[in-house]
Structure formats: structure tokens, C-alpha cells
Amino acid sequence: MKKAILIFSLVAGITVCAYSQKTPAYKDARLPVEQRVDNLISLMTIEEKVEQLQSQLLFSTEFDKRNYKVGHMRNKAHFIHSGPDGFAGTVRCAEIINEDTREALKASRLGIPVLQHGEALHIPLWGNATCFPQSIGMAATFDDELYYRVAEVIARETRAVGVRQVYAPVVNISRDPRWGRTEEGYGEDVLLNSRMGVAYTKALEKGGVVASPKHYVDNYGDGGHDSYASGMSWRTLREVFLEPFRACIEEGGARSIMASYNSVDGVPASASHRLLTDILRKEWNFRGYVVSDYWGVNGVHSAHRIAGSYAEAQALCLEAGLDLELPGGYGELLSLVKSGRISEQTIDESLRRILTVKFELGLFENPYVDPEEADRTVRSKAHRDLALEAARKVMTLLKNDNNTLPLSDRNIRRVGVFGPAADVMSLGDYSGPSGSLKGELVSGNITPCEGLKQRLKGKAEVVLHAGNTDVAALARTCDVAIFFAAIQEGEGEDRSHLTLPKRNMKTAESLDNAMIVDTGEKLTFELDQEKMIEDLAASGVKTVVVLQNGSMIDIRRWVDRVDAILEAWYSGEQGGTAIAEALFGDINPGGRLPVTWARHAGQIPLYYYIKPSGRGYRYLDDDGEPMFPFGFGLSYTSFEYSGLTVPEKVNRDGDTKVLVTVKNTGSVKGDEVVQLYLRDELASVARPVKELKAFKRITLNPGESRQVELSLPFRSFALWDRDMNFVVEPGVFTVMIARNAADTLLEGRITAE
């Protein structure tokens, strides 16, 4: 027996020895990642190293120009919908990514896999993936647990086709609704941005997809202009704009960050050693890699003019800590190394960060996906059900005079539907094929008009306003008029006017149901949305306005004339169903505003966590008060707060727990968002008048009471002192329990020692 064991041991030893001699260490999945990375780098030529810091983007007409040696590819499935074959399903998307990965592996002498990347702001941007509400809508849910579940599905569908990195979430704090990309983020508040960003990042990373929070940092400037120079002080950057990024890294586990286009304190973010190395890596211990925004490195030379050439811009960015230029840059790195401008050690530092992630993702062992399994995963019933749940949660009720809503299908027999967004999918930016890039709708998506028709089938007639016919005349034949408003916003579409814009619409003769916007055809007419709302309100018929947008709208002209306003945001593929359910009381709107809603553009920027003023906040011709405060939202029921319990002292060793009891005092089930704000009563530097530090969304049945626990981490009480140290100073804090930032219900005091 001993002899047999000895023989077996010798054979096993010889086998392992032979394996180690023939197989490089980097191919041995049993070894630590760090050891595998070091071994692989030692085997690479300088040309192969540089190729791993490069990427490529090709449109469907350019696929023949693919350089399979570069280490990162904007996945081809993102663009095949614009080709001659039109829409592509999940199987084809997975197949084409597999094909690209296979060719990339063949082109690599050492078999280094390509990392396929893409977009997934609120939907994986390819094929028929499940489309969830836009980010600003998810912020309106004030439910980061729900958002984590949404992000899990997005990660699952993204990974299913072979995409392993996405450039999301957007955690840029938006304090100016003129910024066209406000819809892509989570609003104005630091905590809400952080909690939603962490939920999204953590779910992606746990799902095997690299998250890249963006745009680092302060991505819009004065006037709401995208990518303008940041004029923020380092104190404001620390207190506000950097914090969500820190949270996404330290708590969410982000393995990538996207640098912004703009300069910060005079230095482009892409070339800022302070941002990319001192703060990101030395302070926050970030171990992932930094990517540029598209063509951002070139902008260091061509736009910001701090480099005399594009090649010099590449050197500055790489040395600052920017590891990968998108979408096809760093073309001069090889010559920069050979000329001695950049050291090979600098190349190796970035290379090590990128290869580490590729090994962690398991790409060396499992570079391909199963297209049939992907087809079973993507857009499953469970995923579509979650999209509907999310759409229901984003509904935010802003006005409801005389309990106009919910409508009753027992006494309404005819519903008039009006407006440019009534019979289209309003999904917001970065929606891909689901956003009808070429006019087609993914199967299963329904418009608000169709949602109403399905909801009222056999109970009431739904009539869609056709073309340029008389609005009031049609309204007077109906029991209720519902207007669906639309605005123009998105990347590259900053706004100076915040009123509802005039829109061009097809006439009834040119398209069934008299829609869609901006066709370029001759048979169009100009729709004055605000005048139409006024005409509807003047008809004497109950008038409800449904907003589908990603930032505030100046509604002064008509807000007092309509009976109810439902803010639906961009509510995703199931939004049409959820809107109909909210209007007819099948669900009770429970969303809250993630932004302060100004009355008009002259009040902007307007946000709740202002610091004390020596003069006040009013204007000569305006009291400075918003239309709706941050955190605002109505309900079909009512809630009562009591029993606030605040500890005497802050817990330095863990979370401080605050308790409050909430009761549904109305007659229907509803959601309430309990909001906790803090005010530092005495500090070494000026502090905001209040800051949101905890929130919890709960659902209560009629008459039900619940004690809600709100947790405050120790850092909730911290500040950046005069010397820019992040500390908790001894002192008293006021704890405010509120329905929104302007409606405090209960107060308590707590002391930090």
C-alpha cells in the first residue's frame, strides 16, 4: 500500500513539474492573480503592453477595420442595429461578441482576452434588453434596495451576451436643471446620489460586470453647460461632488472610473494627478483603472491647450494616472516610450491594473458566452415584472386638487388623450433600440395611450387627439382630458428655456393616431404644448397633465389651471402600464422629487442644502421659494408621525439609530418616504442649514403603524474642517424628521463628543 502511494506521489509530482515547465504561470488559474499578472507582464513585449492600454470603437459599416490586438472593444452588438439588417436579437448580439472575442484571442500571441465594454445607464445598450426607468426616475423612488435588484438584472443581461464593463452609473450631482444630462444621474443630494450609486455599482460588480462611475468630477459648469470648466472650490468639491465617487469605490467596489472632459482648478480631469492619483488611489485606495471620456485625452491638447501636441497630452494623462484612452486612443504611447518621454515602468503600472481586472473577471478561463442561455436570460418574465415594479415606484404625484386622482373607471366612459408624448415611448437618453432609434418598438413595450386602452378595455373609450384638430371640442366630449407633455434634453442638449417647448407633429393624414415628433416630413404642424394645456383646462373638463422628463420644467403658466399633475419621469418599457395604473388608483404614487423644483430659470441654481446667508435668499421680484421642495411628493392617503426617539450621544463605534413611528391614517394602501435631516448647530466652518442623512421608503396599509429605524453612520456627523481634515467635531446636532426638505414634522437633539 505504501509503495502504491509512493508511486502515485511521484507521478503526481512529475505531472505538476511538467505542467509548470510547459505552461506559463499566468495560465494557471490556481495561482494568485497578482502572481499571474507579474508573470504575464514579464513575457510581454512593449508593443503588446501598449496594445492593452488601447481600445477601439467601430460602427457597423467599419467592422472590417477591426484591430484585434487592442485590449478593449466597444462591443459590436451596440452598433449592429444601425446596419442594413436592422434590429438584432439577443442570440445575434451574443454571437457577434463571441466572434470578436475569438478573433482577438487568435491575434494575441499570449492569448490575452479582449474586454468587451458598453453602456448600461438604465438598460444594456444593445438588442432587446429589459429597459428600466431612467436614473433620475429611480432616484425618485428613494429605494436603493429596489435599485440594487434592478442593477442585478442589468448586470445579468449585460454579462449574458459577453459585455463585461459598462460606463455607469452617473453620480454627478445636478444642481442646475439646464444641464441636459440631469436625467442620467440621481439629482441634487449627496446622500441620495451616494446610496443609489453604491447600489448600482455593487450589483454590477457582484454580477461580474465592471462598473465605471462617471464623470469624475463636476461634469457641468456655470449655466448648466455640459463639460464646462469647474469653478468649484476644493471645499465644495470635497463636501459635495467627490463624495458619491468615494462611496462607489469604497462601498460599491467599483473597479473603474471615467474621467470627465472638464478642467478642475485649471487642470483637465484626465490629466489631473491630484484627482487621479492623490485622491483616487492614495486617499481612497482605488485599485482599479481609469478610463477617459471619449476623445478626452485629445481635448487636453485641442480644447484645454495645456499640451503642445496630442502625443504630449497622452504622456501627461498617463503620468497623471489615466490608464486607458477611449475610444481608440493612446496611439503615440509606443513612440513616447521609445523616445524616453514615458518610462516602461509607467506603462507597467497601468497595465498591471488592467490585467488584474481581466484575471478577476475570469476572461482567461471563460472568454465566451452561450447565446442560447443569453436568450433565455435576457428579457425574461421576471425581468419584465421587475421593470413594471420599478415603473410603479417612480410615479410622483405633484398636484391633486379636490382629489381629482385617482380616476374611477366606474363613472368615466370616455378619456381624451393629448400631447406629443401620448403615443410614443419616452425613455430618455441612452436607451438604444428600446428608445426606437429607427422607429421600431421592442415587443412588449407599450405607450401611455396603449396602457390606458388596455387598462380601460371594456370599461371606457380612449380617444387620441388626432393631428391639428380642435383640442377643446374633443375634450368636451370626454369625461377627463389627459395631456402627456414632452421636453428635449439629453447629452449635448442643455436647455436655456425650461418651459414646455413647441413641438412639430405629424397630421392624422400622415400617420395613424397623428404622431410622432420631428419627422422632417411636410405634413406636420407646430404644437404649442402650453397653449394646448390652457385650452384643455378652459374646456371645463377635468384636466390631468402627465410629465415624462428627466429634469424640472417651468410650469408657472398653467400649473394653477389644471386639476392634477403626475410626474412619471422616463419610466422605462413598462411605463405605459404604470402610468395608467397610477391614474386609476391601482397603485398609489409614492415617488419623491430628487431635485428642488424651481419656479423658473431665474432662481437657478436652487437646492435645499444651502449655507447660511448674510442677506437672505429672496429676490427683489421673487421670494426665492421653489415650486416644490426636494423630497416632495403627494399620496392618495395620509400619514402621521410620532414617537421620535433620538439617542443622547452619537455612537462613535457604529451606526447611531433613530426611531420614529409612522401611521397610515387614510383609507388606501400607500408608500411613505421617511426623511431624516441633520443640522450642525456649532462648527468651525459654515455648514448647510440641513442635510439629508437617512431615508427609508415604507409601505403601509390603512390604519397600519410601523416603527421605522434610521441608521446614521459616524461619518454622517463629520465635516471638512478649516485645514481640510475630515473630522467629527464635538457639538450638538438637530435631528429633523420630515416629509420633504421644507416640511419638518419632528425634531430632536444629539451630541457628538
Side-chain angles (χ1 to χ4, degrees), residues 593-606:
L593 290 178
V595 293
T596 300
W597 195 293
R599 293 182 181 275
H600 53 83
Q603 294 181 315
I604 295 168
L606 186 63

Side-chain angles (χ1 to χ4, degrees), residues 139-251:
T141 69
F142 277 72
D143 191 341
D144 51 336
E145 294 177 0
L146 169 66
Y147 197 39
Y148 181 87
R149 292 165 51 209
V150 167
E152 282 185 312
V153 168
I154 291 175
R156 199 173 300 133
E157 295 196 356
T158 299
R159 182 172 178 174
V161 298
V163 176
R164 301 303 295 272
Q165 178 178 7
V166 296
Y167 300 127
V170 174
V171 290
N172 293 121
I173 295 207
S174 176
R175 306 200 297 196
D176 194 325
R178 291 173 294 184
W179 184 38
R181 304 186 74 172
T182 295
E183 62 174 285
E184 296 179 26
Y186 309 112
E188 73 184 48
D189 182 69
V190 177
L191 179 72
L192 187 58
N193 267 270
S194 298
R195 296 332 311 153
M196 302 305 277
V198 167
Y200 199 87
T201 300
K202 185 179 291 186
L204 286 179
E205 291 286 358
K206 286 191 174 181
V209 177
V210 176
S212 301
K214 63 182 187 183
H215 311 81
Y216 182 73
V217 62
D218 194 20
N219 193 48
Y220 69 96
D222 295 343
H225 293 292
D226 186 54
S227 301
Y228 267 38
S230 170
M232 296 295 172
S233 68
W234 279 102
R235 173 170 298 282
T236 302
L237 288 169
R238 290 286 198 177
E239 291 177 347
V240 180
F241 295 94
L242 283 167
E243 178 58 20
F245 288 95
R246 180 209 62 79
C248 286
I249 291 167
E250 294 187 351
E251 301 174 46

Side-chain angles (χ1 to χ4, degrees), residues 5-120:
I5 294 175
L6 179 60
I7 293 172
F8 175 80
S9 298
L10 288 171
V11 172
I14 292 171
T15 301
V16 171
C17 182
Y19 179 85
S20 63
Q21 290 177 350
K22 295 179 180 179
T23 305
Y26 77 90
K27 291 188 176 182
D28 188 351
R30 299 169 300 178
L31 296 177
V33 167
E34 183 178 359
Q35 185 176 340
R36 299 177 73 187
V37 170
D38 288 341
N39 175 249
L40 179 54
I41 291 177
S42 71
L43 300 174
M44 296 173 69
T45 65
I46 185 59
E47 289 80 7
E48 289 169 332
K49 291 178 179 181
V50 167
E51 287 163 356
Q52 286 298 303
L53 308 188
Q54 296 175 329
S55 66
Q56 192 169 19
L57 174 151
L58 296 171
F59 296 99
S60 57
T61 56
E62 305 171 313
F63 285 171
D64 60 337
K65 299 178 183 178
R66 176 77 164 99
N67 177 6
Y68 289 104
K69 291 185 177 182
V70 301
H72 305 260
M73 179 62 182
R74 179 61 168 247
N75 76 91
K76 292 180 179 179
H78 182 101
F79 297 107
I80 56 178
H81 308 284
S82 59
D85 296 330
F87 182 82
T90 298
V91 170
R92 181 57 185 143
C93 289
E95 288 175 343
I96 196 170
I97 293 174
N98 273 346
E99 291 168 7
D100 187 84
T101 298
R102 185 175 297 108
E103 293 303 315
L105 281 169
K106 288 180 182 178
S108 174
R109 178 179 66 92
L110 296 169
I112 303 175
V114 61
L115 198 157
Q116 302 279 353
H117 61 254
E119 304 283 356

Side-chain angles (χ1 to χ4, degrees), residues 457-744:
K457 187 176 182 179
K459 298 180 179 180
E461 181 184 8
V462 177
V463 183
L464 181 64
H465 173 244
N468 52 357
T469 57
D470 185 82
V471 173
L474 175 60
R476 283 191 288 269
T477 69
C478 302
D479 299 304
V480 62
I482 305 175
F483 184 90
F484 291 88
I487 66 174
Q488 189 77 24
E489 60 184 334
E491 184 171 1
E493 296 178 321
D494 304 329
R495 300 183 293 153
S496 61
H497 295 283
L498 301 182
T499 53
L500 290 174
K502 294 181 179 180
R503 305 298 293 267
N504 292 328
M505 295 178 64
K506 290 183 177 181
T507 62
E509 291 76 21
S510 65
L511 182 69
D512 291 344
N513 296 332
M515 300 290 167
I516 276 266
V517 175
D518 294 333
T519 66
E521 297 180 10
K522 294 181 180 179
L523 294 177
T524 63
F525 72 98
E526 188 176 73
L527 168 67
D528 186 333
Q529 295 189 79
E530 298 205 330
K531 185 179 185 303
M532 180 178 277
I533 292 173
E534 290 179 319
D535 289 346
L536 290 173
S539 71
V541 177
K542 283 185 178 180
T543 302
V544 178
V545 174
V546 177
L547 301 176
Q548 296 178 85
N549 49 287
S551 56
M552 67 140 287
I553 299 169
D554 183 342
I555 61 177
R556 288 174 299 163
R557 178 175 165 183
W558 49 267
V559 63
D560 293 329
R561 304 188 184 192
V562 301
D563 298 288
I565 302 174
L566 178 68
E567 173 59 83
W569 308 102
Y570 298 119
S571 45
E573 66 171 58
Q574 301 296 322
T577 297
I579 289 170
E581 292 177 337
L583 292 173
F584 280 86
D586 303 327
I587 61 171
N588 188 348
R592 300 292 184 265
L593 290 178
V595 293
T596 300
W597 195 293
R599 293 182 181 275
H600 53 83
Q603 294 181 315
I604 295 168
L606 186 63
Y607 48 93
Y608 82 88
Y609 50 96
I610 52 176
K611 292 183 178 179
S613 167
R615 290 286 187 181
Y617 306 100
R618 62 180 297 118
Y619 297 95
L620 174 66
D621 54 355
D622 187 299
D623 62 9
E625 294 298 317
M627 180 69 71
F628 305 112
F630 172 86
F632 177 84
L634 301 175
S635 175
Y636 296 154
T637 189
S638 56
F639 299 93
E640 179 181 88
Y641 286 69
S642 62
L644 175 62
T645 303
V646 180
E648 181 180 344
K649 297 179 181 179
V650 171
N651 182 3
R652 299 184 67 92
D653 300 320
D655 290 355
T656 298
K657 307 291 186 181
V658 174
L659 303 175
V660 64
T661 298
V662 183
K663 181 179 181 180
N664 183 341
T665 55
S667 59
V668 296
K669 179 180 178 181
D671 285 10
E672 177 71 329
V673 177
V674 184
Q675 302 168 42
L676 187 156
Y677 297 83
L678 281 183
R679 180 174 63 242
D680 194 339
E681 295 297 343
L682 182 63
S684 62
V685 293
R687 302 293 296 134
V689 296
K690 63 177 63 175
E691 293 178 285
L692 182 70
K693 292 298 182 180
F695 58 87
K696 184 71 174 178
R697 180 165 178 159
I698 59 172
T699 303
L700 297 175
N701 291 313
E704 181 183 0
S705 294
R706 184 180 307 170
Q707 188 178 63
V708 179
E709 180 181 274
L710 299 165
S711 295
L712 297 172
F714 187 58
R715 67 179 298 116
S716 301
F717 301 91
L719 55 76
W720 292 92
D721 68 12
R722 293 187 181 186
D723 298 320
M724 294 304 291
N725 296 309
F726 192 65
V727 298
V728 174
E729 296 179 338
V732 175
F733 293 81
T734 296
V735 177
M736 295 165 275
I737 302 297
R739 283 199 177 95
N740 56 66
D743 188 8
T744 298

